[in-house]
């Protein structure tokens, strides 16, 4: 397992791309997620209402926001934290948000951040995001279940098992995604619901383009994790560690490979 200091370093490196290559990987990931879920907005917000404001927290390069502009009405105002706010994501998300954001947004979105926080920090993150939502507005969180295997046949997918073990050892809570609905309810949100999406990668995906997007994205993620960890973290020897990317790619092309992602949403009580 990584120390808390190492996990904080992971948070800065993994969720805050600083080069073109990482930005392209995240854009590829975005298209894979969108295609697998058949859309960006699963919360039942009225997408025809005019004059809305949208906040994309931890927006990275803003690619989600640019794409979401095609979904919302033309007069929707999009806002996202500037670089100096989200540059250190783990630190700033547990600090108070700008007062101007209080009850200011009709829709608040955040994706692939929560599992990096410790369990006692997550309520702070949820509270700060919830504070941004207007009464009657919606929040949608999208997170990956790093621990639950959904590939088949899992007994044959040794590299997939190693991938789950590696990612679970890095994040603070590999099952954070499964707890988000309860956390939104505890934060006072109503009409809380979720959808678990099994994102297929490789040959299992009925759309070859999306299958390849998933395969390449997961190989990139594996390469990132391997860049700052070692084989001992999952009990591998050096050769097994070196061969892991190749084995994972082969399994994605041979078996039914999938990762489970949770889309969780809730509505803040009050006027719509």
């Amino acid at each position: 397992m990584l120390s808390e200091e190492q996990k904080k370093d992971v948070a800065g490196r993994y969720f805050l791309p600083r080069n073109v290559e990482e930005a392209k990987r995240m854009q590829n990931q975005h298209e894979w997620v969108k295609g697998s879920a058949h859309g960006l907005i699963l919360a039942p917000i009225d997408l025809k209402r005019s004059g809305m404001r949208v906040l994309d927290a931890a927006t990275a390069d803003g690619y989600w926001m640019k794409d979401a502009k095609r979904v919302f009405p033309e007069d929707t105002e999009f806002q996202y934290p500037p670089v100096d706010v989200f540059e250190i994501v783990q630190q700033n998300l547990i600090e108070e948000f700008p007062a101007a954001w209080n009850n200011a947004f009709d829709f608040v979105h955040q994706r692939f951040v929560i599992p990096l926080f410790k369990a006692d920090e997550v309520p702070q993150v949820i509270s700060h995001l919830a504070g941004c939502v207007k009464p009657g507005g919606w929040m949608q969180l999208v997170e990956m279940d790093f621990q639950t295997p959904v590939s088949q046949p899992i007994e044959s997918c040794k590299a997939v098992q190693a991938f789950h073990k590696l990612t679970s050892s890095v994040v603070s809570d590999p099952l954070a995604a499964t707890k988000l609905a309860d956390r939104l309810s505890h934060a006072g949100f109503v009409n809380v619901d979720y959808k678990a999406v099994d994102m297929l990668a490789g040959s299992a995906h009925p759309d070859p383009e999306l299958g390849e997007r998933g395969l390449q994205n997961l190989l990139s993620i594996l390469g990132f994790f391997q860049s700052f960890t070692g084989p001992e973290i999952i009990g591998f020897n050096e050769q097994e560690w070196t061969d892991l990317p190749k084995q994972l790619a082969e399994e994605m092309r041979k078996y039914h490979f999938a990762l489970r992602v949770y889309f969780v949403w809730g509505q803040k009580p009050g006027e719509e």
Side-chain angles (χ1 to χ4, degrees), residues 86-111:
F86 74 81
E87 185 173 4
I88 306 176
V89 170
Q90 188 167 9
Q91 177 64 33
N92 284 285
L93 282 174
I94 58 176
E95 293 179 352
E96 293 295 331
F97 281 13
W101 292 0
N102 189 43
N103 294 322
F105 296 94
D106 300 273
F107 186 72
V108 172
H109 172 267
Q110 184 172 273
R111 183 170 69 186

Side-chain angles (χ1 to χ4, degrees), residues 55 80 114 116 174:
L55 173 67
Y80 59 97
I114 297 293
L116 285 171

